[in-house]
Coordinates of all heavy atoms in Angstrom, one line a residue:
M1 N -104.4 62.1 41.8 CA -103.3 61.6 41.1 C -103.7 60.3 40.4 O -104.5 59.5 40.8 CB -102.2 61.2 42.1 CG -101.3 62.4 42.5 SD -100.4 63.1 41.1 CE -99.1 61.9 40.8
A2 N -103.1 60.1 39.2 CA -103.4 58.9 38.5 C -102.7 57.7 39.1 O -101.7 57.9 39.8 CB -102.8 59.1 37.0
K3 N -103.4 56.6 39.0 CA -102.8 55.4 39.6 C -101.5 55.0 38.9 O -101.3 55.3 37.8 CB -103.8 54.2 39.6 CG -104.3 53.9 38.3 CD -105.4 52.8 38.4 CE -105.9 52.3 37.1 NZ -106.8 52.4 36.4
K4 N -100.6 54.4 39.7 CA -99.2 54.1 39.2 C -99.1 52.9 38.3 O -98.1 52.7 37.6 CB -98.3 53.9 40.4 CG -97.8 55.2 40.9 CD -96.9 56.0 40.0 CE -96.3 57.2 40.6 NZ -95.6 58.0 39.6
K5 N -100.2 52.1 38.3 CA -100.1 50.8 37.5 C -99.8 51.2 36.0 O -100.4 52.2 35.5 CB -101.4 50.1 37.6 CG -101.4 48.7 36.9 CD -102.8 48.0 37.2 CE -102.9 46.7 36.6 NZ -102.8 46.7 35.1
L6 N -98.9 50.5 35.4 CA -98.6 50.8 34.0 C -99.8 50.5 33.0 O -100.4 49.5 33.2 CB -97.4 50.0 33.5 CG -96.0 50.3 34.1 CD1 -95.0 49.3 33.6 CD2 -95.6 51.7 33.8
S7 N -100.0 51.5 32.1 CA -101.0 51.2 31.1 C -100.4 50.1 30.2 O -99.2 49.8 30.2 CB -101.3 52.4 30.3 OG -100.2 52.8 29.5
A8 N -101.3 49.5 29.4 CA -100.8 48.5 28.4 C -99.7 49.1 27.5 O -98.8 48.4 27.2 CB -102.0 48.0 27.6
R9 N -100.0 50.3 27.1 CA -99.0 50.9 26.2 C -97.7 51.1 26.9 O -96.6 50.9 26.4 CB -99.5 52.3 25.7 CG -98.6 52.9 24.7 CD -99.0 54.3 24.3 NE -100.2 54.3 23.5 CZ -100.8 55.4 23.1 NH1 -100.2 56.6 23.3 NH2 -101.9 55.4 22.4
A10 N -97.7 51.6 28.1 CA -96.5 51.8 28.9 C -95.7 50.5 29.1 O -94.5 50.5 29.1 CB -96.7 52.5 30.2
A11 N -96.5 49.5 29.4 CA -95.9 48.2 29.6 C -95.2 47.7 28.4 O -94.2 47.1 28.4 CB -97.0 47.2 30.1
R12 N -95.9 48.0 27.2 CA -95.3 47.5 26.0 C -94.0 48.3 25.7 O -93.1 47.7 25.2 CB -96.4 47.8 24.8 CG -96.1 46.9 23.6 CD -97.4 46.7 22.8 NE -98.0 48.0 22.5 CZ -99.3 48.3 22.8 NH1 -100.1 47.4 23.4 NH2 -99.8 49.4 22.5
R13 N -94.1 49.6 26.0 CA -92.9 50.4 25.8 C -91.7 49.9 26.7 O -90.6 49.8 26.2 CB -93.1 51.9 26.1 CG -93.6 52.7 24.9 CD -93.3 54.2 25.1 NE -93.8 54.7 26.4 CZ -95.0 55.2 26.7 NH1 -95.8 55.3 25.7 NH2 -95.3 55.6 27.8
A14 N -92.1 49.5 27.9 CA -91.0 49.0 28.8 C -90.5 47.7 28.2 O -89.3 47.4 28.3 CB -91.6 48.8 30.2
G15 N -91.4 46.9 27.7 CA -91.0 45.6 27.0 C -90.0 45.9 25.8 O -89.0 45.2 25.7
D16 N -90.4 46.9 25.1 CA -89.5 47.3 23.9 C -88.2 47.7 24.4 O -87.2 47.3 23.8 CB -90.2 48.4 23.1 CG -91.4 48.0 22.3 OD1 -91.6 46.7 22.2 OD2 -92.1 48.8 21.8
R17 N -88.1 48.5 25.5 CA -86.8 48.9 26.0 C -86.0 47.7 26.4 O -84.8 47.7 26.2 CB -87.0 49.9 27.1 CG -87.2 51.4 26.7 CD -87.0 52.3 27.8 NE -87.8 52.1 28.9 CZ -89.1 52.5 29.1 NH1 -89.6 53.3 28.1 NH2 -89.8 52.3 30.1
E18 N -86.7 46.8 27.1 CA -86.0 45.6 27.5 C -85.4 44.8 26.3 O -84.3 44.4 26.3 CB -86.9 44.7 28.3 CG -87.0 45.0 29.8 CD -85.7 45.0 30.5 OE1 -85.1 43.9 30.5 OE2 -85.2 46.0 31.0
A19 N -86.2 44.7 25.3 CA -85.8 44.0 24.1 C -84.6 44.7 23.4 O -83.7 44.1 22.9 CB -87.0 43.8 23.1
E20 N -84.7 46.0 23.4 CA -83.6 46.8 22.8 C -82.3 46.6 23.6 O -81.3 46.5 23.0 CB -84.0 48.3 22.7 CG -84.9 48.6 21.6 CD -85.4 50.0 21.7 OE1 -84.8 50.9 22.4 OE2 -86.5 50.3 21.2
K21 N -82.5 46.6 24.9 CA -81.3 46.4 25.7 C -80.7 45.0 25.5 O -79.5 44.9 25.3 CB -81.7 46.6 27.2 CG -80.5 46.5 28.1 CD -80.9 46.7 29.6 CE -79.8 46.6 30.5 NZ -79.1 45.2 30.5
L22 N -81.6 44.1 25.4 CA -81.1 42.7 25.2 C -80.4 42.6 23.8 O -79.3 42.0 23.7 CB -82.3 41.7 25.2 CG -82.0 40.3 25.0 CD1 -81.1 39.7 26.1 CD2 -83.2 39.4 24.9
T23 N -80.9 43.2 22.8 CA -80.3 43.2 21.5 C -78.9 43.8 21.6 O -78.0 43.3 21.0 CB -81.2 43.9 20.5 OG1 -82.5 43.3 20.4 CG2 -80.6 44.0 19.1
R24 N -78.9 45.0 22.3 CA -77.6 45.7 22.4 C -76.6 44.8 23.1 O -75.4 44.7 22.7 CB -77.7 47.0 23.1 CG -78.1 48.2 22.3 CD -77.8 49.5 23.0 NE -78.3 49.6 24.3 CZ -79.5 49.9 24.7 NH1 -80.4 50.3 23.8 NH2 -79.9 50.0 26.0
D25 N -77.0 44.1 24.2 CA -76.1 43.2 24.9 C -75.6 42.1 24.0 O -74.5 41.7 24.0 CB -76.8 42.7 26.1 CG -77.0 43.7 27.2 OD1 -76.4 44.8 27.1 OD2 -77.7 43.5 28.2
L26 N -76.6 41.5 23.2 CA -76.2 40.4 22.4 C -75.2 40.9 21.3 O -74.3 40.1 21.0 CB -77.4 39.8 21.7 CG -78.4 39.0 22.6 CD1 -79.7 38.7 21.9 CD2 -77.7 37.8 23.1
E27 N -75.4 42.1 20.8 CA -74.5 42.6 19.7 C -73.1 42.8 20.3 O -72.1 42.6 19.7 CB -75.0 43.9 19.1 CG -76.3 43.7 18.3 CD -75.9 43.0 16.9 OE1 -74.7 42.9 16.6 OE2 -76.9 42.5 16.3
R28 N -73.1 43.3 21.6 CA -71.8 43.6 22.2 C -71.1 42.3 22.5 O -69.9 42.2 22.3 CB -72.0 44.3 23.6 CG -71.0 45.4 23.8 CD -71.3 46.3 24.9 NE -72.1 45.8 26.0 CZ -73.3 46.4 26.4 NH1 -73.7 47.5 25.8 NH2 -74.0 45.9 27.3
L29 N -71.8 41.3 22.9 CA -71.2 39.9 23.2 C -70.7 39.3 21.9 O -69.7 38.7 21.8 CB -72.2 39.0 23.8 CG -72.5 39.2 25.3 CD1 -73.6 38.4 25.8 CD2 -71.2 39.0 26.1
A30 N -71.4 39.6 20.8 CA -71.0 39.0 19.5 C -69.7 39.5 19.1 O -68.9 38.8 18.4 CB -72.1 39.4 18.4
L31 N -69.4 40.8 19.5 CA -68.1 41.3 19.1 C -66.9 40.6 19.7 O -65.8 40.7 19.3 CB -68.0 42.8 19.5 CG -69.0 43.7 18.8 CD1 -68.9 45.1 19.2 CD2 -68.9 43.6 17.3
L32 N -67.2 39.8 20.7 CA -66.1 39.0 21.4 C -66.0 37.6 20.7 O -65.1 36.9 21.0 CB -66.4 38.8 22.8 CG -66.6 40.1 23.7 CD1 -67.1 39.7 25.1 CD2 -65.4 40.9 23.7
E33 N -66.9 37.3 19.8 CA -66.9 36.0 19.1 C -66.0 36.1 17.9 O -65.9 37.1 17.2 CB -68.3 35.6 18.7 CG -69.3 35.5 19.8 CD -69.1 34.2 20.6 OE1 -68.7 33.2 19.9 OE2 -69.5 34.1 21.8
P34 N -65.4 34.9 17.5 CA -64.6 34.9 16.3 C -65.4 35.3 15.1 O -66.5 35.0 14.9 CB -64.1 33.4 16.2 CG -64.3 32.9 17.5 CD -65.4 33.6 18.1
G35 N -64.7 36.2 14.2 CA -65.3 36.5 12.9 C -66.1 37.8 12.9 O -66.5 38.3 11.9
H36 N -66.5 38.3 14.1 CA -67.3 39.5 14.2 C -66.6 40.8 14.1 O -67.2 41.9 14.0 CB -68.3 39.5 15.4 CG -69.3 38.4 15.2 ND1 -70.5 38.7 14.6 CD2 -69.4 37.1 15.6 CE1 -71.3 37.6 14.6 NE2 -70.6 36.6 15.2
T37 N -65.3 40.8 14.3 CA -64.5 42.0 14.1 C -63.2 41.7 13.3 O -62.8 40.5 13.3 CB -64.0 42.6 15.5 OG1 -63.3 41.6 16.2 CG2 -65.2 43.0 16.4
P38 N -62.6 42.7 12.7 CA -61.4 42.5 11.9 C -60.3 41.8 12.7 O -59.6 41.0 12.3 CB -61.0 43.8 11.4 CG -62.3 44.6 11.4 CD -63.1 44.1 12.5
G39 N -60.2 42.2 14.0 CA -59.2 41.7 14.9 C -59.4 40.3 15.3 O -58.5 39.6 15.7
R40 N -60.6 39.8 15.1 CA -60.9 38.4 15.4 C -61.3 37.6 14.1 O -62.1 36.7 14.2 CB -62.1 38.3 16.4 CG -61.7 38.8 17.8 CD -62.8 38.8 18.7 NE -62.5 39.5 19.9 CZ -62.0 38.9 21.0 NH1 -61.7 37.7 21.0 NH2 -61.7 39.7 22.1
A41 N -60.7 38.0 13.0 CA -61.0 37.3 11.7 C -60.7 35.9 11.9 O -59.7 35.5 12.5 CB -60.2 38.0 10.6
I42 N -61.5 35.1 11.3 CA -61.4 33.6 11.3 C -60.4 33.2 10.1 O -60.6 33.6 9.0 CB -62.7 32.9 11.1 CG1 -63.6 33.2 12.3 CG2 -62.6 31.4 10.9 CD1 -65.1 32.8 12.1
A43 N -59.4 32.4 10.4 CA -58.4 32.0 9.4 C -59.0 30.9 8.5 O -59.6 29.9 9.1 CB -57.2 31.5 10.1
L44 N -58.9 31.1 7.3 CA -59.4 30.1 6.3 C -58.3 29.9 5.3 O -57.4 30.7 5.1 CB -60.6 30.6 5.5 CG -61.9 30.9 6.3 CD1 -62.9 31.5 5.4 CD2 -62.4 29.6 7.0
D45 N -58.3 28.7 4.6 CA -57.3 28.4 3.6 C -57.6 29.0 2.2 O -56.8 29.4 1.5 CB -57.2 26.9 3.4 CG -56.7 26.2 4.6 OD1 -55.8 26.8 5.3 OD2 -57.1 25.1 5.0
A46 N -58.9 29.2 1.9 CA -59.3 29.7 0.6 C -60.6 30.5 0.7 O -61.4 30.3 1.5 CB -59.5 28.5 -0.3
A47 N -60.7 31.4 -0.3 CA -61.9 32.3 -0.4 C -63.2 31.5 -0.6 O -64.2 31.9 -0.1 CB -61.7 33.3 -1.5
S48 N -63.0 30.3 -1.2 CA -64.2 29.5 -1.4 C -64.8 29.0 -0.1 O -65.9 28.5 -0.1 CB -63.8 28.3 -2.3 OG -62.8 27.5 -1.7
Q49 N -64.0 29.1 1.0 CA -64.6 28.6 2.3 C -65.4 29.7 3.0 O -66.0 29.4 4.0 CB -63.4 28.1 3.2 CG -62.7 27.0 2.6 CD -61.4 26.6 3.4 OE1 -60.9 27.5 4.1 NE2 -61.0 25.4 3.4
V50 N -65.3 30.9 2.5 CA -66.0 32.0 3.2 C -67.5 31.8 3.4 O -68.0 31.9 4.6 CB -65.7 33.4 2.5 CG1 -66.6 34.5 3.1 CG2 -64.2 33.8 2.6
E51 N -68.1 31.4 2.4 CA -69.6 31.2 2.5 C -70.0 30.1 3.5 O -70.9 30.3 4.3 CB -70.2 30.9 1.1 CG -70.4 32.2 0.3 CD -71.5 32.1 -0.8 OE1 -72.4 31.3 -0.5 OE2 -71.3 32.7 -1.8
V52 N -69.3 29.0 3.4 CA -69.6 27.9 4.3 C -69.3 28.3 5.7 O -70.1 28.0 6.6 CB -68.7 26.7 3.9 CG1 -69.0 25.5 4.8 CG2 -69.1 26.2 2.4
A53 N -68.2 29.0 5.9 CA -67.8 29.4 7.3 C -68.8 30.4 7.8 O -69.2 30.3 9.0 CB -66.4 29.9 7.3
A54 N -69.2 31.3 7.0 CA -70.1 32.4 7.4 C -71.5 31.7 7.8 O -72.1 32.1 8.8 CB -70.3 33.4 6.4
R55 N -71.9 30.8 7.0 CA -73.2 30.1 7.2 C -73.2 29.3 8.5 O -74.2 29.0 9.1 CB -73.6 29.3 6.0 CG -74.3 30.1 4.9 CD -75.2 29.3 4.0 NE -74.4 28.1 3.5 CZ -73.9 28.2 2.3 NH1 -74.0 29.2 1.5 NH2 -73.2 27.1 1.8
S56 N -72.0 28.9 8.9 CA -71.9 28.0 10.1 C -72.0 28.9 11.4 O -72.1 28.3 12.5 CB -70.6 27.2 10.1 OG -69.5 28.1 10.4
I57 N -71.9 30.2 11.2 CA -72.1 31.1 12.4 C -73.5 31.4 12.6 O -74.2 31.9 11.7 CB -71.2 32.3 12.2 CG1 -69.7 32.0 12.1 CG2 -71.4 33.3 13.3 CD1 -68.8 33.1 11.7
P58 N -74.1 31.2 13.8 CA -75.5 31.6 14.0 C -75.6 33.1 14.2 O -74.7 33.7 14.7 CB -75.9 30.8 15.3 CG -74.6 30.6 16.0 CD -73.5 30.6 15.0
C59 N -76.8 33.6 14.0 CA -77.2 35.0 14.2 C -77.0 35.2 15.7 O -77.6 34.5 16.5 CB -78.6 35.3 13.8 SG -79.2 36.9 14.3
P60 N -76.2 36.2 16.1 CA -76.0 36.5 17.6 C -77.4 36.9 18.3 O -77.5 36.7 19.5 CB -75.0 37.6 17.6 CG -74.4 37.7 16.3 CD -75.4 37.1 15.3
R61 N -78.3 37.5 17.5 CA -79.5 37.9 18.1 C -80.5 36.8 18.4 O -81.1 36.8 19.4 CB -80.2 39.0 17.2 CG -79.4 40.2 17.1 CD -80.3 41.3 16.4 NE -79.5 42.4 16.0 CZ -80.0 43.6 15.6 NH1 -81.2 43.7 15.4 NH2 -79.2 44.6 15.3
C62 N -80.7 35.9 17.4 CA -81.8 35.0 17.5 C -81.3 33.5 17.2 O -82.1 32.6 17.2 CB -82.9 35.3 16.6 SG -82.5 35.1 14.8
R63 N -80.0 33.3 17.0 CA -79.4 32.0 16.6 C -80.0 31.5 15.3 O -79.9 30.3 15.0 CB -79.7 31.0 17.7 CG -79.4 31.5 19.2 CD -78.1 32.2 19.4 NE -77.0 31.4 19.4 CZ -75.7 31.8 19.5 NH1 -75.5 33.1 19.6 NH2 -74.7 31.0 19.5
G64 N -80.6 32.4 14.5 CA -81.0 31.9 13.2 C -79.8 31.8 12.2 O -78.7 32.1 12.6
A65 N -80.1 31.2 11.1 CA -79.1 31.0 10.1 C -78.8 32.2 9.3 O -79.7 33.0 8.9 CB -79.5 29.9 9.1
L66 N -77.5 32.5 9.1 CA -77.1 33.7 8.3 C -77.0 33.3 6.8 O -76.6 32.2 6.5 CB -75.8 34.2 8.8 CG -75.7 34.7 10.3 CD1 -74.3 35.1 10.6 CD2 -76.7 35.8 10.5
R67 N -77.4 34.3 6.0 CA -77.4 34.2 4.6 C -76.3 35.1 4.1 O -76.2 36.2 4.5 CB -78.7 34.6 4.1 CG -79.1 34.3 2.7 CD -80.6 34.7 2.4 NE -80.7 36.2 2.6 CZ -81.6 36.8 3.4 NH1 -82.5 36.0 4.1 NH2 -81.7 38.1 3.5
V68 N -75.4 34.6 3.2 CA -74.3 35.4 2.7 C -74.8 36.1 1.5 O -75.2 35.5 0.5 CB -73.0 34.5 2.4 CG1 -71.9 35.4 1.8 CG2 -72.6 33.8 3.6
E69 N -74.8 37.4 1.5 CA -75.2 38.2 0.4 C -74.1 38.6 -0.6 O -74.3 38.7 -1.8 CB -75.9 39.5 0.9 CG -77.1 39.2 1.7 CD -77.8 40.4 2.2 OE1 -77.2 41.4 2.4 OE2 -79.1 40.3 2.4
D70 N -72.9 38.7 0.0 CA -71.8 39.1 -0.8 C -70.5 39.0 0.0 O -70.6 39.0 1.3 CB -72.0 40.6 -1.2 CG -71.0 41.1 -2.2 OD1 -70.4 40.2 -2.9 OD2 -70.8 42.3 -2.3
H71 N -69.3 38.8 -0.6 CA -68.1 38.9 0.2 C -67.0 39.5 -0.7 O -67.0 39.3 -1.9 CB -67.7 37.6 0.9 CG -67.4 36.5 0.0 ND1 -66.1 36.2 -0.5 CD2 -68.2 35.5 -0.4 CE1 -66.2 35.1 -1.3 NE2 -67.4 34.6 -1.2
T72 N -66.2 40.4 -0.1 CA -65.3 41.2 -0.8 C -63.9 41.1 -0.1 O -63.9 40.8 1.1 CB -65.7 42.6 -0.8 OG1 -66.0 43.1 0.5 CG2 -67.0 42.8 -1.7
A73 N -62.9 41.4 -0.8 CA -61.5 41.5 -0.2 C -61.3 43.0 0.2 O -61.6 43.9 -0.5 CB -60.5 41.1 -1.2
E74 N -60.9 43.1 1.5 CA -60.7 44.5 2.0 C -59.4 44.5 2.9 O -59.1 43.5 3.5 CB -61.9 45.0 2.9 CG -63.1 45.2 2.1 CD -64.3 45.7 2.9 OE1 -64.0 46.5 3.9 OE2 -65.4 45.4 2.6
T75 N -58.8 45.6 2.9 CA -57.6 45.8 3.9 C -58.1 46.5 5.1 O -58.6 47.7 5.0 CB -56.5 46.5 3.2 OG1 -56.1 45.8 2.1 CG2 -55.3 46.6 4.2
L76 N -58.1 45.8 6.2 CA -58.6 46.4 7.5 C -57.6 46.2 8.6 O -57.1 45.1 8.8 CB -60.0 45.8 7.9 CG -61.1 46.0 6.9 CD1 -62.2 45.0 7.2 CD2 -61.7 47.4 7.0
E77 N -57.3 47.3 9.3 CA -56.4 47.3 10.4 C -55.1 46.6 9.9 O -54.5 45.8 10.6 CB -56.9 46.5 11.6 CG -58.2 47.2 12.1 CD -58.8 46.5 13.3 OE1 -58.2 45.5 13.8 OE2 -59.9 46.9 13.7
G78 N -54.7 47.0 8.6 CA -53.4 46.5 8.1 C -53.4 45.1 7.6 O -52.4 44.5 7.2
A79 N -54.6 44.4 7.6 CA -54.6 43.0 7.2 C -55.5 42.8 6.0 O -56.5 43.5 5.9 CB -55.0 42.1 8.3
R80 N -55.1 42.0 5.1 CA -56.0 41.7 3.9 C -57.0 40.7 4.4 O -56.7 39.6 4.9 CB -55.2 41.0 2.8 CG -54.5 41.9 1.9 CD -55.3 43.0 1.3 NE -56.0 42.6 0.0 CZ -56.9 43.4 -0.6 NH1 -57.3 44.5 -0.1 NH2 -57.4 43.0 -1.7
L81 N -58.3 41.1 4.4 CA -59.3 40.2 4.9 C -60.4 40.0 3.9 O -60.6 40.8 2.9 CB -60.0 40.9 6.1 CG -59.1 41.1 7.3 CD1 -59.8 41.9 8.4 CD2 -58.5 39.8 7.9
R82 N -61.1 38.9 4.0 CA -62.4 38.8 3.3 C -63.5 39.2 4.2 O -63.6 38.7 5.3 CB -62.6 37.3 2.9 CG -61.5 36.7 2.0 CD -61.4 37.4 0.6 NE -62.7 37.2 -0.2 CZ -62.7 37.4 -1.5 NH1 -61.6 37.8 -2.2 NH2 -63.8 37.3 -2.2
V83 N -64.4 40.1 3.7 CA -65.5 40.5 4.5 C -66.8 40.0 3.9 O -67.1 40.3 2.7 CB -65.5 42.1 4.6 CG1 -66.7 42.6 5.4 CG2 -64.2 42.6 5.1
A84 N -67.5 39.2 4.7 CA -68.8 38.7 4.2 C -69.9 39.6 4.7 O -70.0 39.8 5.9 CB -69.0 37.3 4.7
K85 N -70.7 40.0 3.8 CA -72.0 40.7 4.2 C -73.0 39.7 4.3 O -73.4 39.0 3.4 CB -72.3 41.8 3.2 CG -71.3 42.9 3.1 CD -71.8 44.0 2.1 CE -70.8 45.0 1.9 NZ -69.6 44.5 1.2
V86 N -73.6 39.6 5.5 CA -74.6 38.5 5.8 C -75.8 39.2 6.4 O -75.8 40.3 6.9 CB -74.0 37.4 6.7 CG1 -72.8 36.8 6.2 CG2 -73.7 38.0 8.1
A87 N -76.9 38.4 6.2 CA -78.2 38.9 6.8 C -78.8 37.6 7.4 O -78.7 36.5 6.9 CB -79.1 39.5 5.8
C88 N -79.5 37.8 8.6 CA -80.1 36.7 9.3 C -81.4 36.3 8.5 O -82.2 37.2 8.2 CB -80.4 37.0 10.7 SG -81.3 35.7 11.6
S89 N -81.6 35.0 8.2 CA -82.8 34.6 7.5 C -84.0 34.6 8.4 O -85.1 34.5 7.9 CB -82.5 33.2 6.8 OG -82.2 32.3 7.8
A90 N -83.7 34.7 9.7 CA -84.9 34.7 10.7 C -85.3 36.1 11.1 O -86.4 36.5 10.9 CB -84.5 33.8 11.9
C91 N -84.3 36.9 11.6 CA -84.7 38.2 12.1 C -84.3 39.3 11.2 O -84.7 40.5 11.4 CB -84.1 38.4 13.5 SG -82.3 38.8 13.5
G92 N -83.5 39.0 10.1 CA -83.2 40.0 9.1 C -82.1 40.9 9.5 O -81.7 41.8 8.7
A93 N -81.5 40.8 10.6 CA -80.4 41.6 11.0 C -79.2 41.4 10.1 O -78.8 40.3 9.9 CB -80.0 41.4 12.5
G94 N -78.7 42.5 9.6 CA -77.5 42.4 8.7 C -76.2 42.6 9.5 O -76.2 43.3 10.6
R95 N -75.1 42.0 9.1 CA -73.9 42.2 9.8 C -72.7 41.9 8.8 O -73.0 41.4 7.7 CB -73.8 41.4 11.1 CG -73.7 39.9 10.9 CD -73.9 39.2 12.2 NE -75.2 39.4 12.8 CZ -75.4 40.2 13.8 NH1 -74.4 40.8 14.5 NH2 -76.6 40.4 14.3
R96 N -71.5 42.1 9.3 CA -70.3 41.8 8.5 C -69.5 40.8 9.3 O -69.4 40.9 10.5 CB -69.5 43.1 8.2 CG -70.1 44.0 7.2 CD -69.7 45.4 7.4 NE -68.3 45.7 7.2 CZ -67.7 46.0 6.1 NH1 -68.4 46.1 5.0 NH2 -66.4 46.2 6.0
L97 N -69.0 39.8 8.6 CA -68.1 38.8 9.3 C -66.8 38.9 8.6 O -66.7 39.1 7.4 CB -68.7 37.4 9.1 CG -70.1 37.2 9.8 CD1 -70.6 35.8 9.5 CD2 -69.9 37.3 11.3
Y98 N -65.7 38.6 9.3 CA -64.4 38.8 8.9 C -63.6 37.5 8.9 O -63.6 36.7 9.8 CB -63.6 39.8 9.8 CG -64.4 41.2 9.8 CD1 -65.4 41.4 10.7 CD2 -64.1 42.1 8.8 CE1 -66.1 42.6 10.7 CE2 -64.8 43.3 8.8 CZ -65.8 43.6 9.8 OH -66.5 44.7 9.8
F99 N -62.9 37.3 7.7 CA -62.1 36.1 7.6 C -60.7 36.5 7.0 O -60.5 37.4 6.3 CB -62.7 35.1 6.6 CG -64.1 34.7 7.0 CD1 -65.2 35.5 6.6 CD2 -64.3 33.6 7.8 CE1 -66.5 35.1 7.0 CE2 -65.6 33.3 8.3 CZ -66.7 34.0 7.9
R100 N -59.7 35.7 7.4 CA -58.3 35.9 6.9 C -57.9 34.7 6.2 O -58.1 33.6 6.6 CB -57.4 36.1 8.1 CG -56.1 36.7 7.8 CD -55.2 37.0 9.0 NE -55.1 35.8 9.8 CZ -55.4 35.7 11.1 NH1 -55.9 36.7 11.7 NH2 -55.3 34.5 11.8
L101 N -57.4 34.9 5.0 CA -57.0 33.8 4.2 C -55.5 33.5 4.4 O -54.7 34.3 4.7 CB -57.2 34.1 2.7 CG -58.7 34.4 2.3 CD1 -58.8 34.5 0.8 CD2 -59.6 33.3 2.8
G102 N -55.2 32.2 4.2 CA -53.8 31.8 4.2 C -53.2 31.6 5.6 O -52.0 31.8 5.8
G103 N -54.0 31.3 6.6 CA -53.5 30.9 7.9 C -53.0 32.1 8.7 O -53.5 33.2 8.4
P104 N -52.1 31.9 9.6 CA -51.7 33.0 10.6 C -51.1 34.2 9.8 O -50.4 34.0 8.9 CB -50.7 32.3 11.4 CG -50.8 30.9 11.2 CD -51.4 30.7 9.9
A105 N -51.4 35.4 10.3 CA -50.8 36.6 9.7 C -49.3 36.6 10.1 O -48.9 36.2 11.1 CB -51.5 37.8 10.3
L106 N -48.5 37.2 9.1 CA -47.1 37.3 9.3 C -46.7 38.5 10.1 O -45.6 38.6 10.7 CB -46.4 37.2 8.0 CG -46.6 35.9 7.2 CD1 -46.0 36.0 5.8 CD2 -46.0 34.7 8.0
N107 N -47.5 39.6 10.0 CA -47.1 40.8 10.7 C -47.8 40.9 12.1 O -48.9 40.6 12.3 CB -47.4 42.0 9.8 CG -48.8 42.0 9.3 OD1 -49.6 41.0 9.5 ND2 -49.3 43.0 8.6
Ligands
ZN201 ZN1 -81.4 36.7 13.7

């Protein structure tokens, strides 16, 4: 029988699996943070604040700075939202952040 000690490759694979699991956990936790889902859209007074607000949110994976590539007006879950497409300038992970203009929703 082969010895049970992990080869370097197997150890690396195990490390990758750990890293993937950590990333999944971080992404799941991020969904509980403001701005990461339509239901948790961050209230802003004006569309001009979207970029500044998006940049103030750190990358959930690595806490790097997010770069705003684009933002658009969309209707999601019955609410008019601004959706910012952002990418992390450190790890490159892309994501969408959600903002609501004009204070509290009326409906
Ligand atoms: Zn990142």
